Amino acid sequence: MPPLNRPLTPCDYVVFGGTGDLAMRKLLPSLFQRDRGEQLPPEDRIIGVSRQAMSDDRYVAMAEEGMRRHMKPDEFDPAVWDRFSGRLHHAAIDATGESGWPELAETLGAAPDRVRMFYLATAPDLFGPICERLQAAGLVTEQSRVVLEKPIGHDLYSARCINERVGAVFSEHQIFRIDHYVGKETVQNLMALRFANVLFQPLWNSTSIDHVQITVAETIGVESRGGYYDHSGALRDMVQNHLLQLLCLVAMEPPLHLDKDSVRDEKLKVLRALKPIGRDQVPACTVRGQYRAGAVDGAAVRGYLEESGIAPDSGTETFVALRVDVQNWRWTGVPFYLRTGKRLQQKVSEIVIQFKPVPYSIFPPTSGELAANRLVLRLQPDEAVRLHLMAKEPGPGGMRLREVPLNLSFAETFKHPVSDAYVRLLGDVVRGDPTLFMRRDEVEAAWVWTESILEAWQTRGEPPKPYIAGTWGPSTAIAMIERDGRTWHEDVGGGQ
Ligand code: BG6
């Protein structure tokens, strides 16, 4: 079936952080893609907000340069650009001061009934002040929505403060806390795989599953985000949100319906079932790493401490590996191994469901060793679902068995390019559908558990383990899983 190209309700997109990295890398390119797919009504406007004054023309030029840098040449269609650039405007606003708000009110006031999306691609400490200013300027209508980029705060306390302040201005149904991992096609396919097929349903528990691995590996370093990252680290930047969301989607019970509360209720139960990692479990269940100079994709790269914006004696982790226990009826006894890091050998995100071995082998030793079945969801790149099974090798020589994958490659099967998660998620905001966004209680539950680790790390005061850029992280991450008699999935680097 061809994709549905339904234009959305008319909307004014107001992007705070409109000249920033996220706007150029993801938000404007995703809106451009929607425009290209005839999904933006002609009257839609995109207002980039930043502190410095500039003309619309200057903003358009800046957007063109930034978007071309981040989009593939064949995505940047000049005919669409002519139309798209006409939608772009700039507003100079001091987020914590008085200037610029009346002008924004005047611009938006021309279409009071239109959907208004206030996208806050700023530091989280500005979320509260911006929302309060929006309210004071009379800009918050029934049709308004606010989108909060992660991280929502720095810890549980700051997350609660943000949620309070934003919640005093917008109702929960107007608040969209984005986690772009949930919008990725393959992540949604995890729901399709689990709940649109009967095959895995009886196997999806501790009786048949040995363990689960979730890897989100990146080759990039901290880029231009040193100032933010050095105060965050991999646990806050990636685990508290993206990896926990993936874990929730693997572990949750079937929701009653595919609607906002059913899905989020089930994810919340998983978050609440995570066993806290205390001080004594730190050595066995956590690994923190920090990259040193090395080579990635054949190019020499500097170490974390030499990156700009990083304190020379920084103890921030750029790699985390965890062994996580989900304490409930379905999952007790099934460890979830999570790992993520920057400057690793390969950019790859995968979920691996490792099944248990067959209870008894009827085959003689000459047949070869029986590998337990494995389901691999490759989120990026080369989106695919692979089910590794044992099969008989054809031909003479007796019953020789070999592990082979049943391979569902999305590119080959659907012949439709996988679009960026933001394309889908921005559409959901306009439609007012928060199913794929974090509810307040979810974010806070994720922080409760994350804080158990942060506190345990703090009390032990151990520095992160160094690893060479371009490897798979500290060797202790390999030792952690091997102590349990398991190994990281070999296709994504089981060794240094
Ligand atoms: C962001 C993190 O949320 O996700 C970044 O802040 C990270 O540090 C990025 O690089 C990874 O996203 P993706 O979609 O490229 O895997």
Side-chain angles (χ1 to χ4, degrees):
M1 201 169 61
L4 294 174
N5 284 347
R6 264 187 313 227
L8 297 166
T9 324
C11 177
D12 284 329
Y13 299 82
V14 184
V15 182
F16 287 82
T19 53
D21 180 66
L22 186 75
M24 298 302 162
R25 210 159 36 87
K26 295 288 185 186
L27 304 179
L28 295 181
S30 297
L31 288 170
F32 185 88
Q33 212 166 314
R34 291 208 81 100
D35 204 357
R36 194 176 174 199
E38 310 287 335
Q39 292 166 321
L40 293 191
E43 59 271 55
D44 275 13
R45 295 177 294 181
I46 302 164
I47 302 161
V49 177
S50 69
R51 199 182 276 264
Q52 74 270 36
M54 70 174 85
S55 65
D56 285 353
D57 286 348
R58 169 87 191 91
Y59 185 59
V60 169
M62 191 185 242
E64 180 173 4
E65 194 272 318
M67 288 167 66
R68 278 186 189 275
R69 196 154 21 97
H70 294 293
M71 292 168 74
K72 296 192 190 107
D74 62 332
E75 288 173 346
F76 196 88
D77 182 337
V80 180
W81 174 250
D82 285 346
R83 180 171 72 215
F84 186 81
S85 57
R87 303 177 184 278
L88 292 174
H89 305 273
H90 181 263
I93 293 182
D94 177 4
T96 53
E98 302 302 326
S99 67
W101 297 99
E103 292 78 1
L104 181 63
E106 203 179 305
T107 310
L108 295 179
D113 300 329
R114 217 182 272 182
V115 171
R116 287 179 189 175
M117 183 192 301
F118 299 110
Y119 199 113
L120 310 193
T122 63
D125 53 352
L126 291 177
F127 294 170
I130 292 177
C131 290
E132 285 152 13
R133 303 258 160 202
L134 286 170
Q135 188 175 46
L139 291 171
V140 181
T141 57
E142 214 8 72
Q143 283 299 314
S144 296
R145 297 114 167 69
V146 64
V147 186
L148 308 182
E149 254 303 325
K150 62 154 274 281
I152 310 287
H154 188 72
D155 52 18
L156 178 61
Y157 176 75
S158 55
R160 281 194 175 137
C161 292
I162 290 170
N163 283 332
E164 280 301 321
R165 286 179 79 172
V166 175
V169 176
F170 291 94
S171 311
E172 183 64 27
H173 75 271
Q174 296 176 297
I175 305 173
F176 291 74
R177 300 177 191 82
I178 202 163
D179 184 317
H180 75 280
Y181 262 68
V182 186
K184 287 186 191 275
E185 284 287 349
T186 346
V187 177
Q188 290 177 58
N189 246 301
L190 175 57
M191 292 223 254
L193 194 78
R194 285 194 59 195
F195 305 126
N197 298 291
V198 75
L199 206 62
F200 298 111
Q201 191 267 340
L203 304 179
W204 212 260
N205 55 45
S206 61
T207 311
S208 306
I209 293 179
D210 178 75
H211 73 278
V212 176
Q213 297 182 15
I214 302 178
T215 295
V216 178
E218 298 187 274
T219 48
I220 56 169
V222 288
E223 316 264 275
S224 56
R225 299 161 72 227
Y228 150 74
Y229 195 88
D230 207 31
H231 290 103
S232 169
L235 188 74
R236 290 185 173 94
D237 185 50
M238 297 295 286
V239 177
Q240 189 270 346
N241 33 75
H242 304 326
L243 277 89
L244 282 188
Q245 284 297 318
L246 298 180
L247 184 154
C248 284
L249 292 170
V250 172
M252 72 182 183
E253 295 300 314
L256 266 187
H257 307 284
L258 196 63
D259 64 36
K260 61 182 172 59
D261 282 324
S262 307
V263 172
R264 299 189 296 178
D265 285 349
E266 295 308 333
K267 287 196 289 170
L268 181 64
K269 286 185 207 159
V270 176
L271 291 168
R272 290 187 173 153
L274 297 178
K275 184 176 177 192
I277 296 181
R279 191 177 190 283
D280 295 343
Q281 287 87 50
V282 162
C285 299
T286 78
V287 173
R288 297 174 77 220
Q290 190 185 74
Y291 62 81
R292 297 285 180 264
V296 175
D297 293 336
V301 296
R302 44 188 183 184
Y304 180 70
L305 298 177
E306 290 90 58
E307 302 272 20
S308 83
I310 306 300
D313 57 349
S314 171
T316 299
E317 78 285 351
T318 59
F319 176 96
V320 187
L322 301 172
R323 182 203 141 114
V324 181
D325 290 307
V326 182
Q327 292 181 302
N328 63 16
W329 194 291
R330 187 185 285 268
W331 294 113
T332 292
V334 181
F336 283 67
Y337 297 98
L338 272 44
R339 67 175 166 166
T340 181
K342 298 219 177 271
R343 288 285 189 231
L344 298 183
Q345 199 175 90
Q346 196 185 334
K347 176 165 173 74
V348 61
S349 301
E350 275 198 355
I351 300 174
V352 178
I353 313 290
Q354 178 66 57
F355 291 94
K356 291 189 169 165
V358 291
Y360 169 75
S361 174
I362 61 165
F363 301 99
T366 48
S367 299
E369 211 171 309
L370 295 189
N373 299 141
R374 199 165 359 115
L375 177 68
V376 180
L377 286 114
R378 168 67 69 111
L379 310 185
Q380 59 190 24
D382 312 326
E383 292 80 357
V385 176
R386 289 194 193 102
L387 180 59
H388 295 256
L389 302 170
M390 294 304 294
K392 179 191 172 299
E393 266 194 53
M399 185 63 103
R400 282 176 296 112
L401 299 173
R402 191 150 66 90
E403 189 189 27
V404 282
L406 281 183
N407 191 356
L408 166 61
S409 148
F410 288 87
E412 278 167 31
T413 308
F414 296 107
K415 314 249 181 281
H416 186 263
V418 175
S419 53
D420 193 274
Y422 280 92
V423 177
R424 156 79 194 256
L425 294 172
L426 285 166
D428 283 357
V429 178
V430 179
R431 277 186 288 268
D433 179 359
T435 308
L436 300 182
F437 295 78
M438 306 311 103
R439 214 168 48 191
R440 173 179 179 159
D441 47 9
E442 243 183 293
V443 171
E444 294 181 6
W447 272 123
V448 169
W449 179 79
T450 307
E451 267 197 356
S452 70
I453 303 173
L454 289 169
E455 280 167 17
W457 281 349
Q458 202 179 1
T459 57
R460 295 183 70 96
E462 288 153 356
K465 302 257 182 313
Y467 63 95
I468 306 294
T471 65
W472 282 102
S475 53
T476 37
I478 296 165
M480 181 183 84
I481 192 168
E482 288 187 348
R483 270 198 304 276
D484 291 352
R486 301 172 173 116
T487 50
W488 292 109
H489 179 217
E490 60 198 15
D491 290 0
V492 290
Q496 297 254 42

